[in-house]
Amino acid sequence: MSANVPIVRSVSWPAVIIIILVWAILLAVFAFLFQKHGIFIGAVLFSLLFILLQRLIPSSHNKGMKAIKQQDFKTATEHFKQSVVFFTKYKWVDKYRALTMLSASKMSYREMGLCNIAFCYSQTGQAEKAKALYKEILEEYPDNGIAYYSLNSINTFSNKAD
């Protein structure tokens, strides 16, 4: 049984402000350096930087999302595991994602990766693995609504099956 990908996009408003400041500074610098077309050059460079950072740094995460959309949960799980390893090793990239990836996500990429792995487990009939991982997520990220509600759903459905 497969379901659509649960997409939750909680926004960190302080991160949005940081991204707007980066954008404004870039525009101001290029407007000063190249008076006639500086704002245009700054806007284009910001756009390119945004696209590159969003695609390159979380590339395993992006591949996992693509695999989920194709309902290839085994491949998605492997990509998300790679993403979790990367963001565990380079915690600072995830912690400062407003600057390193120009991401306004409130949830860290490591946290998202763990939730996505658990989701893939639930979609491939590995409810016990999903349940255990959701519990681990809640220990590390107690405010994670995805893990909380998913764990409750798994518990509800497994209680009905008994």
Side-chain angles (χ1 to χ4, degrees):
M1 174 178 127
S2 66
N4 289 330
V5 181
I7 297 177
V8 177
R9 298 193 194 269
S10 297
V11 174
S12 167
W13 292 107
V16 170
I17 292 168
I18 290 169
I19 293 167
I20 290 170
L21 285 173
V22 168
W23 174 76
I25 290 168
L26 201 60
L27 288 181
V29 166
F30 279 92
F32 177 75
L33 293 175
F34 306 100
Q35 311 208 326
K36 188 172 182 184
H37 301 289
I39 291 177
F40 175 74
I41 294 169
V44 169
L45 285 176
F46 178 83
S47 299
L48 290 173
L49 183 65
F50 180 84
I51 291 167
L52 282 172
L53 293 175
Q54 289 281 313
R55 291 192 183 188
L56 293 178
I57 294 176
S59 64
S60 292
H61 179 85
N62 295 338
K63 289 175 186 173
M65 292 304 292
K66 185 176 180 181
I68 280 182
K69 288 177 184 170
Q70 296 170 345
Q71 297 191 354
D72 184 358
F73 299 107
K74 185 177 180 201
T75 301
T77 301
E78 294 308 312
H79 287 302
F80 290 128
K81 284 180 179 179
Q82 291 171 2
S83 179
V84 168
V85 166
F86 176 82
F87 287 111
T88 300
K89 185 176 180 180
Y90 301 103
K91 289 179 182 169
W92 64 273
V93 173
D94 208 3
K95 183 176 181 179
Y96 300 109
R97 64 190 162 277
L99 290 172
T100 58
M101 294 182 279
L102 298 175
S103 171
S105 174
K106 194 172 197 174
M107 189 184 299
S108 72
Y109 275 82
R110 183 178 185 285
E111 185 178 1
M112 282 187 264
L114 291 169
C115 286
N116 288 331
I117 292 167
F119 172 77
C120 290
Y121 287 157
S122 70
Q123 296 303 301
T124 55
Q126 301 176 70
E128 289 306 313
K129 279 177 111 173
K131 194 173 172 178
L133 185 52
Y134 282 131
K135 285 179 181 177
E136 285 179 39
I137 293 166
L138 286 172
E139 286 176 18
E140 190 171 348
Y141 305 101
D143 295 332
N144 187 299
I146 294 171
Y148 177 80
Y149 290 111
S150 297
L151 186 58
N152 283 343
S153 293
I154 291 171
N155 288 334
T156 299
F157 288 121
S158 42
N159 288 341
K160 287 183 180 180
D162 295 338

